[in-house]
Amino acid sequence: MGAPETKKREGGIESAIIDVHAHCFTSKALAGDVAQQLGRLRGRGISHVAVAGMVNDRFDEEQIWGLVPDWVENRGDGLFDEGRDLLEHARLSKGGIVPLLDTRYLWGNISAVLGRYLRQGFRGIKGIYLPDSANDLGVKGVPDTFGITVSEYRKREWEIFSFAETNDLTVLYHIDARRYGDTLAAILADFPRVRVNFPHFGIGRKAFAPFLDRYPNVFTDFSGLLSHMRENQASYRGFIQHYQDQICFGSDAILYKVEGSLHYLDALYDLGLPEEVLRKVCVENPRRLMGNALSAAMD
């Protein structure tokens, strides 16, 4: 796979950029290719990538694909039990990959299950709110997949946030602020101290902005918004400048093509933001968001 055509930035920020949002879908058999791409990222200053991996010990292929967008090209475990592969990629990266546990298929005693994966080496949590099939990803709802009620599902999500709060874990949580704003408000009211990244600008900047205004531990990233950043530079420049203390660099890249993160880096540079804002978005805010997860990866 050839490297993306990206532009060097003269006098850019230090080589400590953190991409807070990527996904696995990648077998450990592809470790050599991943290592080469991580090397190219380091050459452009991206030193760490937070990568979410799913685990599955209960569901079959039909059920599994119900909660995964059909545009995903999976080059990892056929049933998306990615834990071992992701932890091996993280080990080989010598701290360059920070592994996050994707919780969409978790089953059983949430605290016990999360504790087990944490001991194995995961450093944070990736969640996604899918109460029904009318979600922005167009996938099946978790309650229908699990055969549980929406109330039971919400209880499970609250248990995940409670575990994160107790163990001082970073959370990356996909939720559509336009459709599920009440749920987002309820989560933050109960867990205001949890450092949480709601990606894609909350999937609606207007609906999401009030949460940024109210909660200093709420972060967001611009992953999935590459075309919008390029087409509406003035609007995105203004939004990032206004919330410069809470926006992080994130790409939503997949590990087997993680060098795609560089396209987001170039789009960010092209906005013409002041150097101090770039440093916040690429370095300082991600460090605050990732907290101990980043420290553990750097040990």
Side-chain angles (χ1 to χ4, degrees):
M1 180 185 297
E5 294 182 4
T6 57
K7 296 164 282 188
K8 294 284 186 180
R9 179 176 173 83
E10 298 299 326
I13 59 180
E14 66 182 65
S15 296
I17 300 170
I18 302 162
D19 183 340
V20 300
H21 185 177
H23 295 271
C24 187
F25 303 123
T26 306
S27 166
K28 61 186 176 184
L30 299 175
D33 188 43
V34 170
Q36 290 179 359
Q37 294 185 52
L38 289 175
R40 287 193 278 271
L41 295 191
R42 286 192 295 271
R44 290 290 311 279
I46 301 175
S47 59
H48 295 82
V49 183
V51 180
M54 293 185 284
V55 292
N56 167 41
D57 60 4
R58 185 171 185 268
F59 296 97
D60 61 27
E61 185 172 3
E62 182 178 354
Q63 291 171 308
I64 281 289
W65 275 105
L67 298 183
V68 179
D70 57 12
W71 49 260
V72 168
E73 181 184 346
N74 181 30
R75 298 185 186 177
D77 183 85
L79 292 179
F80 297 104
D81 192 15
E82 305 177 315
R84 287 183 293 275
D85 282 352
L86 177 54
L87 291 175
E88 179 63 7
H89 284 299
R91 184 188 70 80
L92 293 172
S93 76
K94 302 185 187 316
I97 291 174
V98 182
L100 308 180
L101 182 71
D102 189 312
T103 59
R104 75 187 72 183
Y105 294 112
L106 280 195
W107 184 262
N109 183 304
I110 295 301
S111 180
V113 174
L114 287 174
R116 183 174 78 247
Y117 284 114
L118 202 64
R119 290 189 294 273
Q120 291 177 12
F122 283 93
R123 301 301 181 190
I125 291 173
K126 162 68 165 67
I128 180 169
Y129 191 64
L130 300 171
D132 52 53
S133 59
N135 55 79
D136 63 290
L137 294 178
V139 298
K140 190 175 181 179
V142 171
D144 286 344
T145 300
F146 279 40
I148 60 177
T149 66
V150 173
S151 178
E152 289 171 323
Y153 172 53
R154 285 170 61 92
K155 180 177 182 292
R156 189 198 78 158
E157 298 304 282
W158 257 249
E159 289 173 352
I160 290 170
F161 271 88
S162 179
F163 184 89
E165 181 179 59
T166 299
N167 292 276
D168 191 27
L169 295 177
T170 299
V171 177
L172 167 63
Y173 200 78
H174 181 121
I175 186 170
D176 186 341
R178 303 163 303 176
R179 182 171 178 82
Y180 307 119
D182 289 348
T183 297
L184 178 51
I187 288 172
L188 291 175
D190 287 346
F191 304 104
R193 294 186 300 275
V194 175
R195 299 184 314 279
V196 54
N197 172 24
F198 297 104
H200 321 302
F201 287 172
I203 317 182
R205 286 185 287 167
K206 184 177 180 180
F208 184 65
F211 298 106
L212 290 170
D213 291 332
R214 183 172 182 180
Y215 294 100
N217 280 340
V218 165
F219 296 82
T220 189
D221 67 50
F222 41 75
S223 62
L225 300 173
L226 185 61
S227 63
H228 299 288
M229 291 174 67
R230 288 170 171 168
E231 295 168 4
N232 304 289
Q233 289 188 330
S235 176
Y236 277 78
R237 179 169 57 248
F239 188 82
I240 291 173
Q241 284 189 287
H242 186 77
Y243 293 107
Q244 61 186 265
D245 293 320
Q246 293 165 278
I247 292 176
C248 297
F249 176 74
S251 67
D252 213 6
I254 296 177
L255 192 54
Y256 59 73
K257 50 181 179 181
V258 71
E259 63 188 3
S261 179
L262 297 177
H263 294 308
Y264 278 87
L265 188 60
D266 286 332
L268 179 65
Y269 286 159
D270 286 345
L271 295 180
L273 292 161
E275 204 73 22
E276 62 269 20
V277 176
L278 287 173
R279 178 176 171 78
K280 287 181 179 181
V281 171
C282 292
V283 181
E284 294 176 5
N285 297 343
R287 282 179 178 173
R288 288 195 294 120
L289 168 67
M290 300 303 295
N292 294 333
L294 187 62
S295 300
M298 296 173 69
D299 288 344

